Amino acid sequence: MLEDVEAGAAAAVRLGAGAPLQSALDVADPGDWLALDAGVREVAWYRPEFLPEWEHATPLPAAPARLGESRLALALCHRDGRIRQEALRQSVRHPVLLPLVVIRCADWVEPVREHARQLLRRVLDADSAVGLAPLILRVGRRDRGAFGVEVLGQILRQASRGQLAVLFTDPDRVVRRFAYRLAIEGRLLRPAELARAAARDQDTVVQDLCATAALAAPEGEDAYAGVLPPLLSARNPRTRSAGVTALRRAGRSEQAERFLSDRSALVRACARYVVRQRGGDPAAWYRERCTAADDPELPPGAVIGLAECGERADAGLLRPLLVHPSAGVRARAVAGLRALDCADTEQLRPLLDDPAAGVVREAAAALLPSAKELPADWLLERTGAERPRHVRVGAFRLLDARGGVVALRAAVGLFEDPDVKLRTWAGQSVQRWHPLPDGRGGDAEVGDLLDRSRHLFSDYVLRRRKWEAGLDG
């Protein structure tokens, strides 16, 4: 795969030596054609000896007649507009070179650009448009590139559903968006198919396009039979939230209750809206479930859901969940207490040793405002290499927030940590370290720690840091 100009230049050299087009680049990859276009000019400017003689003659003549595919590809990318225009006239005999005609439709020379556009209008049909769509849409992002996108839309609006369906699975999300917009505009897909597409695709724009179109079509409860199940069972939360919101219009509001404990905050918010519209009380529903602190089946979404719509008094239901057997419940309980502004330092401290990384992450976030109240030695002990990585990360996050010599001591101590990301973070912490305004100046330990970090600073910056810390010598 040609990914840059250098790779395109290498392909240009191979073509100049007479290599077949298919062996020099992947003709099905739009990136290879764009790289070749840039690579030919790169070679022409800096390594002209690798191109055919006519490619770097002065003055430049028109391209010789009856060039083969390889030489014609070079001519279509030539730095001289006269040669590019002459090559366009010959390219009609070589359909494989149509991608370069597409690129020339956005050419900076007007005669070349107009000639290429006339040629593209004449030869482009539904089948070739499907194959060229990824390239046309990429060229469409350039200046003067809108023409190709406009022609592509005109051609594909006349394409069959089967032809357009090829683009629904294209790896380029821009291509999928374009294809689905055309399909929705032409009503080529049934609501149930659109719902399945929204549930399947990983792109949020496609999800919104298809889910909105699927829900806009049907009217009445029966019409939603094929639409709601794919939406409600989708892995992506945007699609699930669209399905949950549609339950009310479909007359199935009672089904929204099971989504009150969804793993997604967006879906939970939509479910609460539908339940309230039906006259229900989501807060009471959450309280009922969180009352059973020993329930092994308690969903984590119900715990954080209580914090999202509850009151500070509901913190009493969340605190017992800090020792729940489920790590997800413990993590959401910490997050809930933080959201309700009821995080207690002494109560959350033990969770920095939790075996679950998610719990430690939430505990560290909740303890950040009170980081200076935590015992420094206790936190430093948890940055030792014998501790699990997530414990070291959580402890260092709090130490770094404290600042001062304690933060510097912790960061320097992590220079030998087995985890490369934590070592990098420690180095960055040292580089941005400054003494606290109320800190004690002239601390010899600070000088020693900065000397151990000498590799991170220039001599000037190191002297400056020492001077800031009151270490003139």
Side-chain angles (χ1 to χ4, degrees):
M1 178 179 178
L2 304 180
E3 296 179 347
D4 51 29
V5 175
E6 279 302 314
V13 171
R14 290 196 294 272
L15 291 175
L21 192 65
Q22 285 78 3
S23 68
L25 71 161
D26 181 356
V27 295
D29 188 342
D32 279 22
W33 290 106
L34 292 168
L36 176 67
D37 181 47
V40 170
R41 290 189 296 279
E42 175 82 7
V43 174
W45 281 111
Y46 300 108
R47 291 173 283 175
E49 67 275 10
F50 289 105
L51 293 178
E53 183 179 352
W54 64 269
E55 282 287 334
H56 53 86
T58 305
L60 292 169
R66 296 294 177 184
L67 289 174
E69 279 182 358
S70 298
R71 297 294 176 86
L72 195 55
L74 295 174
L76 283 166
C77 305
H78 199 279
R79 60 182 175 176
D80 189 288
R82 293 168 296 175
I83 289 184
R84 294 199 303 277
Q85 189 168 5
E86 175 63 25
L88 281 170
R89 295 190 180 98
Q90 297 188 31
S91 64
V92 293
R93 296 183 289 105
H94 301 277
V96 71
L97 297 177
L98 195 52
L100 290 175
V101 176
V102 170
I103 296 174
R104 297 280 69 85
C105 286
D107 200 279
W108 58 95
V109 178
E110 184 175 1
V112 176
R113 186 168 67 245
E114 293 304 319
H115 193 138
R117 290 178 177 183
Q118 292 173 11
L119 181 58
L120 186 67
R121 275 194 182 277
R122 189 165 70 246
V123 302
L124 197 64
D125 56 22
D127 289 330
S128 58
V130 168
L132 289 171
L135 176 62
I136 292 174
L137 291 172
R138 287 182 66 169
V139 174
R141 304 169 200 170
R142 298 180 172 184
D143 291 339
R144 304 175 294 271
F147 171 84
V149 178
E150 179 184 347
V151 172
L152 178 67
Q154 292 172 357
I155 298 295
L156 290 183
R157 283 184 181 91
Q158 303 168 16
S160 67
R161 169 178 159 165
Q163 290 171 318
L164 200 59
V166 175
L167 302 179
F168 295 159
T169 56
D170 193 275
D172 189 339
R173 62 184 178 181
V174 175
V175 175
R176 300 199 305 277
R177 292 173 186 177
F178 188 83
Y180 276 116
R181 284 192 179 102
L182 291 179
I184 292 168
E185 177 188 321
R187 299 190 176 185
L188 298 179
L189 297 174
R190 296 189 300 274
E193 292 174 312
L194 289 168
R196 288 194 291 271
R200 178 182 63 246
D201 203 281
Q202 298 301 309
D203 181 55
T204 56
V205 174
V206 173
Q207 293 165 14
D208 288 345
L209 279 171
C210 294
T212 301
L215 294 171
E219 291 292 342
E221 184 176 354
D222 293 340
Y224 281 96
V227 172
L228 286 178
L231 297 182
L232 295 174
S233 60
R235 289 180 60 84
N236 61 78
R238 295 178 71 90
T239 302
R240 285 203 310 282
S241 66
V244 170
T245 305
L247 286 171
R248 179 169 174 258
R249 198 171 77 168
R252 304 181 186 182
S253 297
E254 70 282 355
Q255 294 184 20
E257 193 173 87
R258 66 186 177 95
F259 292 95
L260 288 173
S261 59
D262 193 271
R263 61 184 180 274
S264 164
L266 175 62
V267 177
R268 292 194 299 270
C270 292
R272 288 195 292 270
Y273 164 77
V274 175
V275 170
R276 288 190 186 105
Q277 294 299 308
R278 188 171 176 258
D281 183 2
W285 188 92
Y286 287 129
R287 290 185 187 110
E288 181 182 349
R289 274 140 191 84
C290 291
T291 300
D294 57 348
D295 180 7
E297 301 300 323
L298 177 63
V303 179
I304 190 62
L306 176 59
E308 289 168 343
C309 69
E311 304 169 351
R312 285 176 61 90
D314 292 317
L317 292 174
L318 298 181
R319 290 191 182 99
L321 300 176
L322 295 175
V323 294
H324 193 276
S326 168
V329 171
R330 296 197 302 276
R332 297 303 181 275
V334 175
L337 289 170
R338 180 185 173 203
L340 293 172
D341 196 22
C342 294
D344 180 80
T345 303
E346 290 304 314
Q347 197 168 34
L348 296 183
R349 258 184 66 182
L351 293 177
L352 288 175
D353 291 320
D354 196 277
V359 178
V360 174
R361 184 166 52 247
E362 290 292 350
L367 290 170
L368 275 178
S370 54
K372 293 185 178 180
E373 301 172 15
L374 297 171
D377 292 341
W378 184 84
L379 288 174
L380 281 168
E381 182 185 346
R382 276 148 185 78
T383 62
E386 72 281 358
R387 300 278 181 169
R389 180 188 182 277
H390 64 273
V391 173
R392 303 199 305 274
V393 169
F396 181 60
R397 184 179 180 187
L398 293 167
L399 287 164
D400 191 42
R402 288 174 65 107
V405 65
V406 173
L408 184 61
R409 189 186 306 144
V412 173
L414 288 171
F415 282 173
E416 303 299 325
D417 193 89
D419 185 77
V420 63
K421 290 185 177 179
L422 195 48
R423 292 199 304 270
T424 302
W425 182 16
Q428 293 169 344
S429 175
V430 171
Q431 287 175 319
R432 63 173 179 265
W433 181 88
H434 292 276
L436 294 175
D438 56 351
R440 176 168 60 91
D443 189 339
E445 183 187 6
V446 172
D448 178 62
L449 292 171
L450 288 174
D451 283 336
R452 291 171 59 187
S453 311
R454 183 181 297 274
H455 62 286
L456 298 173
F457 301 104
S458 66
D459 290 342
Y460 169 78
V461 172
L462 183 61
R463 288 196 301 270
R464 180 75 183 183
R465 287 289 189 277
K466 288 185 175 182
W467 175 83
E468 291 176 3
L471 298 166
D472 296 338

